[in-house]
Amino acid sequence: MKRALVLFAHGARAASWAAPFERLRDGLREQLPGTPVTLAFLELMEPRLPEAVAAQVADGVDDVTVVPVFLGKGGHLLRDLPALAEQIRAAHPGLRLQLAGAIGEDPGVQAAMRDYCVRSLGVS
């Protein structure tokens, strides 16, 4: 089984908006050598999620975990992502596709954000 990780972000008109997500992707690539890690977008930027997963499948991946790099679970994760997942599963019947929760809802991520907010006040 060849596994891959796809970070799923919203996308924006300004190319600079993607920089933090690109750094996250690059750091994960260093941390997970041998595991393909890509970044995909819902809209406004490329590649879109179906194309990113198709590229992974073309490279022999048969197990993809999609991590939404969204702070919370709104309409895009409640409606758009499940619809995209259905489309991807239909296009790649042998693929194991897993959807993680919104990254911002993870307790560890919440703790890191709290720490950042406290540090921004200059309080230790």
Side-chain angles (χ1 to χ4, degrees), residues 5-112:
L5 181 64
V6 177
L7 305 174
F8 178 59
H10 186 276
R13 287 181 181 81
S16 61
W17 173 89
F21 304 105
E22 292 165 345
R23 288 192 301 272
L24 177 60
R25 177 204 57 209
D26 296 346
L28 284 164
R29 284 177 175 169
E30 289 178 20
Q31 190 174 350
L32 300 168
T35 300
V37 180
T38 58
L39 178 58
F41 303 95
L42 174 66
E43 58 189 16
L44 303 172
M45 300 180 109
E46 299 292 333
R48 302 289 174 87
L49 185 60
E51 290 77 22
V53 172
Q56 296 289 14
V57 171
D59 285 340
V61 168
D62 56 4
D63 186 340
V64 173
T65 298
V66 176
V67 176
V69 285
F70 285 67
L71 286 180
K73 192 187 307 184
H76 291 314
L77 297 189
L78 293 172
R79 289 183 303 275
D80 299 332
L81 182 55
L84 287 168
E86 280 186 40
Q87 174 187 343
I88 291 166
R89 287 182 179 116
H92 308 284
L95 177 68
R96 180 172 185 235
L97 181 68
Q98 302 174 85
L99 305 178
I103 199 168
E105 293 183 356
D106 178 81
V109 173
Q110 286 282 319

